Amino acid sequence: MKRSSRLLIVSNRIPVRRMRRSGSTSWEQSSGGLVTALAPILQQRQGTWIGWAGNTGRAPEPFSLDGIRYQPVSMTKGELDDYYFGFSNRTLWPLYHDSVRAPEFRRRWWWPYVDVNKRFAEAVAAAARPGDTVWIHDYHLQLTPSMLRELRPDLRIGFFLHIPFPPEELFAHMPWRTQILEGMLGADLLGFQTAAGARHFAAAAKRFTEAHGPAGDMRFRGRHVRAAAFPISIDVDRFEMLAQDPDVMARRDRLRARLGGNRTILLGVDRLDYSKGIDIRLRAFEELLKSGAAKPSECVFVQIAVPSREEVEDYAQIRTDVEQIVGRINGEFGEAGQATVHYLHRNIPQPELVSHYLAANVMVVTPFRDGMNLVAKEFVASRVDDDGVLVLSEFAGAANELRAALQVNPHDLDGVTASYEAALSLSRADRRKRMRSLRRAVKRHDVFDWADHFLEALTS
Ligand code: ADQ
């Protein structure tokens, strides 16, 4: 990147929390892979992060925190309902995840989506200096690249989609497909989690817009647009460091003891989202117990689920479904004082999360579709002991890299159950061999490399 050019990051939410203490307000950076990866670059470049601060009504004044300038964008309560919960999370999210729930195409959500995207573009246009580099993130802001280009043709514009881009035939259902594609084509570089995502995008762009040429060098209205895969990763060193922290290791030991000494621990960690396949993995565990292939006294399932988008009905429904399955399994197989499934519906701090990764014998990651899935990579990065088995859906972006996992089709209940049996019967030598191979894959590139590669490609 040119030294003089500043970097502006644009995402739906700015990664900060507002803290109120004794009448005064201050800001605190929230954790997360994206902010960890981008913070050093933003600090170096005197960068700005533009996004919604989490409150409706007037946006807070711009502020600086740890060397990064934050510029909040305003949002009304109605826009939050229509742009965020509506179009982003009831239309785009299900459609882009293989329509595992029916996407709702409502005209009254479309215009607020356009308006909010426009507001973001205007905020960036006002904040950017000539020749700056802008990196826009995710499905909430697919129209912002072209809106911004119209206002500021001098900027370098990159866009990264964190969720899958669906196959052309599925994307074709979208009533506003041409507008969305043209919106994205305003960027110079479009990043996807997988090569398939880039391919799907290029196929749809060629069918529904004037774009032509191969994904890696498309032409659109006289400009070059490049679509390519930039698989996201994690801060590998941080997970390795946490995994070797004596405090975290002591927690792992306490956790194992509490769960019943020698019982085999199966673990799931997710946002409580219907795309993550939490229901199928618990049902497969139920099948495993029913068949007698494993005894409740010998194994235990721990499912940690962060509350997510609870205002959306499909999310309330998956919560009810999961809780019913947990209750059913415990009712049938638990004993007083010995649950068969432990279910935690909350956010837990990262050191605690890592102690769970370390305690687990089998990590179960079974999304029906997932852009990448960082949990799978975090588990592998944490296993400095070269032990533990990863059961991974072949429909997670991470499956492209994590080849040595036991890969499963989450639509196949018997297949998932069989994968548990296989996981439980792997010898220590087999587990080590697989985990070593997984660790090599995860260590090959971390989230800092990801950000560097994208920005290098954008500015070269
Ligand atoms: P998500 O759908 O949120 O991300 P994922 O990639 O698994 O999914 O990231 C979840 C993050 O939340 C992980 O870092 C995990 O540690 C954390 N987390 C999960 N449960 C938690 C809990 N109970 N307490 C605390 N932390 C918890 C979207 C896409 C993914 C893509 C990422 C990044 O859907 O496919 O990998 O963006 O691009």
Side-chain angles (χ1 to χ4, degrees), residues 432-448:
R432 183 186 295 123
K433 196 163 154 232
R434 282 179 182 273
M435 186 50 78
R436 283 204 172 148
S437 161
L438 290 172
R439 290 182 57 73
R440 274 196 300 278
V442 166
K443 284 159 79 98
R444 210 162 283 144
H445 80 123
D446 64 12
V447 70
F448 304 106

Side-chain angles (χ1 to χ4, degrees), residues 235-254:
D235 183 349
V236 177
D237 291 346
R238 180 173 164 75
F239 282 90
E240 288 195 336
M241 195 192 69
L242 280 169
Q244 292 168 85
D245 181 322
D247 223 48
V248 171
M249 295 195 304
R251 275 175 213 234
R252 171 203 59 194
D253 296 342
R254 282 199 300 275

Side-chain angles (χ1 to χ4, degrees), residues 31-34 93 97 138-139 160-164 193 232-234 239 268-273 275-276 303-309 344-350 353 357 365 369-376 378 396-398 450:
S31 55
L34 195 58
W93 180 274
H97 288 86
D138 230 356
Y139 62 106
F160 185 78
L161 187 68
H162 289 257
I163 67 174
Q193 300 277 26
I232 199 168
S233 191
I234 56 167
F239 282 90
V269 173
D270 318 71
R271 254 186 332 94
L272 186 37
D273 193 299
S275 66
K276 302 288 183 185
Q303 175 63 53
I304 308 174
V306 205
S308 181
R309 304 174 196 165
L344 283 72
H345 182 241
R346 75 191 72 132
N347 206 54
I348 65 174
Q350 218 168 47
L353 202 59
Y357 290 148
V365 181
R369 180 60 73 188
D370 215 332
M372 177 55 61
N373 196 290
L374 299 181
V375 167
E378 291 169 2
W450 168 77

